[in-house]
Each structure stands twice: as structure tokens, then as C-alpha cells.
Amino acid sequence: MTVLDEVRAAHRRLVTAGVGPDNAASDAEVLARHALGWDRATYLSRRREPPPDRFAADYRALVGRRAGREPVSAITGRREFWGLTFEVGPAVLTPRPETELIVEWSLRLVAARRGAALRIIDVGTGSGCLAVALAHELPAARVVGTDLSPAAIAVARRNARANGVAERIRWVVASLLDGFRAAAPTGRGGGDAQAGGDGAGGDGAGGRGWDLIVANLPYVPSAATRVLSPEVRDHEPWLALDGGRDGLDPLRALVDAAPAHLTAGGHLVVEFGAGQEDTVRALVAAAPALTLLDVAGDLAGIPRAAAIRLELTAG
């Protein structure tokens, strides 16, 4: 058999196990490349060759784990996000493609200031995918990532090092914006220094509010555990999923806190779940000085991200 024959057989096995056909095809290839240590270009050029010794046994064991509904990211310990590779594991939520909408919108909102020393905070950073991606795209920016979980912060810190941006990101164990001083009423003064985090002292805020706050907070309703897929229910940290009764308690708290921490004209970009758009719109409409600029949909057209601006210009 060739490598491709093994991959096709794996695809059929995964579909039989209940994995969707498209995901099964992708998963079968990713696991083959993982077992072989090949990048995609090598795989495409050599997939019709006989596999190396031990490949079949090793590969079939990996496919068996996936057929048991263990996520590919849990099997490989890695996930690609925004063209970068991230370590993942039981302490963090695996980055999803729809979360790239936050990066896309953030870069669009700060396009005219890409070379500026922007101050960015990623709230609920998890694997650090947003903080790292934005630091990678905005080399002059100063970034802080926060999370309730010390284990998640440890993973995020390793991902920053692996992607070459560790020197420009500080990590803080905190809930939302707790521990950060509010800006002055104009949104321009008062500072945002924190008490803890990587290294001694604060984050060197310099007496200004944040230019950009991004967040992919938990948004699964607490009662929804039973309807989640086995990949999510059995392998993702519930702390990173549980959003309270309607799924929006963390986002509700962040929208309430954000105006006091953004600089005037600063932006808040957040992700939310399918079917939550109307509630998110109502939350922003009720918040002082916040304006909803737009809502973006994922590849299926489902609204998943909101871009918000602080309009406050005078005390």
C-alpha cells in the first residue's frame, strides 16, 4: 500500500466512527503527516510512495484514537492558527478557524496605525493564539494576555517563545480586567498598570488606556454540556467553555468593564456563539459610550464576531 492508500482507509474508518466526511479527510491527512514528520508539500509530493517501516502500525494507532473521538489537536499536541503553530492540550481551548475573525477585524481597525506602539490586551487568552498572532502582525505593539488559569498562561507563554514574540507579551493570571486600573473619564489618562504578571512591577502602561481589547471568552450555556460533541465535551477545559446560564455572562462583564479601560476611539473585538448575535447587539447598545461597528460571520455565514468602538471623547 502507498501512504495515500492508508490515508484513504483512515478516512473511511473515521467517517464510520461518526466524524464528518470533510473533517475526516483533513484529519486523516494531518495524522499521516504527524506520523511521518512531513510538511504538507512533502506529503503531496510523496503520498503515492510506499510508506516507511512502522508507519502503518503507528498511523493506525493514531487513527484509532481519532475514531474514539479524541480531537486531532489532542493527539498531535499542536494546532495551526493564523499561519502559526501553537501548542495545545487539556489546559486550553483548541483555537478554531472562526477565532481568526478577531485577528482580521483587529488588523483592519488599526490598519492606519500598524507601525504605532499600540497597547493591546487579550482577555481570556487560553493558548495565547490571539495575543501571539497580533504581536506577530504588529511588531511595534505592546501586548498583555490574561487568563484565570495558571496552566493556560504557562501554555501561552511557551507559544509566545516558540513564535518569537515572547519579549513583547506579558502574561497575567486574572479574571477579565481585574487588577488593571481604569483609564480617566476621557479614556486617555489614569493608566492601566497591573499588579502582577510576568516579571516584576506592572506592565509599564505609561498612563494610557488600551487601544485594543480582544477576547474569545467562554460562551457555551451551562446546560449545553449534553449536546456538545465528544471532542469538545470530553477533551476541552470546561472553564474555557462555560458561559453561564445563557452563555454570555463573561462577555456581559467585559462589555460592562471595557469603557473604563479603553482609550478614546479604542476598540473591543469579541467572539460569540451561534444564535447570540441579538443579545450581543443589545449588550453593546446598553453600554455607555460603546458603538457596535459591525458583526462578522464565519465561513458558514453564521455571525461570530463583533467589532466595537469607544466613542467617549470628553469627561
Side-chain angles (χ1 to χ4, degrees):
M1 293 179 71
T2 66
V3 170
L4 183 58
D5 290 332
E6 287 281 357
V7 171
R8 285 171 171 165
H11 174 256
R12 293 191 293 271
R13 181 179 180 184
L14 293 179
V15 171
T16 300
V19 179
D22 291 342
N23 287 336
S26 174
D27 293 351
E29 178 189 321
V30 169
L31 291 176
R33 291 195 281 116
H34 177 70
L36 291 162
W38 290 355
D39 60 21
R40 192 155 199 269
T42 303
Y43 170 79
L44 292 174
S45 66
R46 298 184 60 185
R47 60 184 172 170
R48 298 185 185 279
E49 298 176 6
D53 293 342
R54 290 292 308 163
F55 167 74
D58 293 344
Y59 180 53
R60 290 172 189 176
L62 296 177
V63 173
R65 291 172 63 183
R66 181 68 187 102
R69 307 303 293 274
E70 187 174 353
V72 168
S73 58
I75 297 169
T76 65
R78 295 289 184 271
R79 181 67 169 234
E80 184 175 297
F81 179 86
W82 200 255
L84 304 170
T85 300
F86 288 84
E87 172 192 338
V88 295
V92 299
L93 193 70
T94 298
R96 268 72 166 176
E98 55 267 26
T99 303
E100 292 190 350
L101 287 169
I102 296 180
V103 183
E104 291 175 15
W105 268 101
S106 296
L107 295 178
R108 189 178 306 177
L109 292 168
V110 303
R113 304 175 61 200
R114 287 191 73 142
L118 297 167
R119 300 186 64 257
I120 300 170
I121 184 165
D122 173 20
V123 179
T125 193
S127 66
C129 63
L130 290 174
V132 170
L134 289 169
H136 186 267
E137 292 290 337
L138 301 167
R142 181 82 176 273
V143 184
V144 174
T146 76
D147 202 283
L148 271 173
S149 166
I153 289 292
V155 174
R157 187 182 294 116
R158 291 195 294 271
N159 282 325
R161 284 199 299 266
N163 286 288
V165 295
E167 296 303 313
R168 292 189 295 106
I169 306 179
R170 287 190 180 273
W171 305 103
V172 186
V173 177
S175 174
L176 301 179
L177 295 168
D178 289 354
F180 293 86
R181 290 203 303 269
T186 60
R188 297 184 185 278
D192 248 324
Q194 88 228 16
D198 268 359
D203 70 351
R208 294 189 290 123
W210 299 95
D211 299 296
L212 177 66
I213 298 174
V214 297
N216 177 22
L217 298 173
Y219 53 70
V220 177
S222 298
T225 311
R226 63 184 180 276
V227 301
L228 294 174
S229 70
E231 288 88 343
V232 175
R233 184 187 64 234
D234 300 334
H235 298 279
E236 302 268 20
W238 188 240
L239 180 66
L241 295 167
D242 185 5
R245 184 183 56 80
D246 67 350
L248 288 171
D249 285 352
L251 183 56
R252 195 174 279 112
L254 180 61
V255 168
D256 183 59
H261 292 85
L262 283 167
T263 190
H267 295 95
L268 170 66
V269 185
V270 298
E271 183 174 330
F272 53 87
Q276 295 176 337
E277 179 187 7
D278 289 346
T279 305
V280 171
R281 287 183 177 275
L283 288 176
V284 177
L290 291 182
T291 296
L292 181 66
L293 300 179
D294 206 346
V295 169
D298 61 19
L299 292 177
I302 299 170
R304 298 302 296 268
I308 302 159
R309 181 172 62 215
L310 179 69
E311 301 291 358
L312 186 63
T313 58

